[in-house]
Amino acid sequence: MLAKRIIPCLDVKDGRVVKGVNFTGLQDIANPVEMARFYNQSSADELVFYDITASVEGRNLFTDILQQVAREIFIPLTVGGGIRTLEDFDRVLKCGADKVSVNSGAIANPSIIREAAKKYGDQCVVLSMDVKRVDGQFRLFAKGGREDTGIDAIKWAVKAVADGAGEVVLNSIDTDGVKNGFDIEMLDELASKIHVPIIASGGAGNCEHFAELFTHAGIDAGLAASIFHTRQLDIRELKRFLHDRGIKVRI
């Protein structure tokens, strides 16, 4: 059995790490370079860097900050935000990313997943989905959770995996920042339909939430932001807790 991964996430806006609740009310948290250095030393398995307003502002990702972040870490780095073309993939990879996350760009141009997987390999292409319940359906949202696409998120993920997405990040807008636990219902539905690694995002508040998450089949990693940023939860302590529960993690 592969070790479960613990992944902190840097949501970056205007060059600063921010965090909100249900994708709204963003508050300034920290300098992304300092945070990257901290997580590199804190037993994080990977790091995710999202330029969260690149898509809605119709611009390219801030590569200067990304390069600074990449220089600080020696763990895998996934980068997303404003990824619309193969040239964007190439630019971000050259800045130090190991994997590239596509969300709104893939909604606008679905063929980018297949094209990127063919050029860079499935393991490089991460489908990120911002999902919210609408009229009893798990609905896919675009542009940082601002725009309801009307697309069934589960069907979208199935298609993306068939096209070559090697990993899926499921961001539940309903549980984002609430700290009452991951969206298990949504995650279970996704895991029953795809067979690539799933990263759960949105809702982590304590060690028990991660322990519960990893009892569910098909969930390979737990991603969180505010509880790690504010030191409410230490990654080393979390891993010791999970290890003591019989969950395989990298200590």
Side-chain angles (χ1 to χ4, degrees), residues 29-116:
I29 298 291
N31 178 294
V33 180
E34 293 175 0
M35 293 296 284
R37 187 183 303 125
F38 168 74
Y39 286 126
N40 187 66
Q41 300 167 351
S42 300
S43 291
D45 294 300
E46 299 184 15
L47 183 67
V48 169
F49 178 108
Y50 287 141
D51 185 338
I52 61 171
T53 57
S55 291
V56 72
E57 292 172 4
R59 59 168 172 79
N60 291 330
L61 183 142
F62 289 127
T63 52
D64 54 342
I65 298 171
L66 172 58
Q67 287 174 319
Q68 293 176 55
V69 165
R71 283 196 292 266
E72 293 293 333
I73 66 173
F74 300 94
I75 54 178
L77 174 63
T78 299
V79 176
I83 306 297
R84 295 180 288 272
T85 65
L86 286 183
E87 288 73 23
D88 291 329
F89 264 81
D90 192 61
R91 183 166 46 84
V92 168
L93 290 169
K94 286 177 178 175
C95 285
D98 299 283
K99 294 183 279 190
V100 181
S101 175
V102 288
N103 188 338
S104 296
I107 296 169
N109 175 25
S111 65
I112 191 175
I113 294 175
R114 183 172 58 255
E115 292 168 0

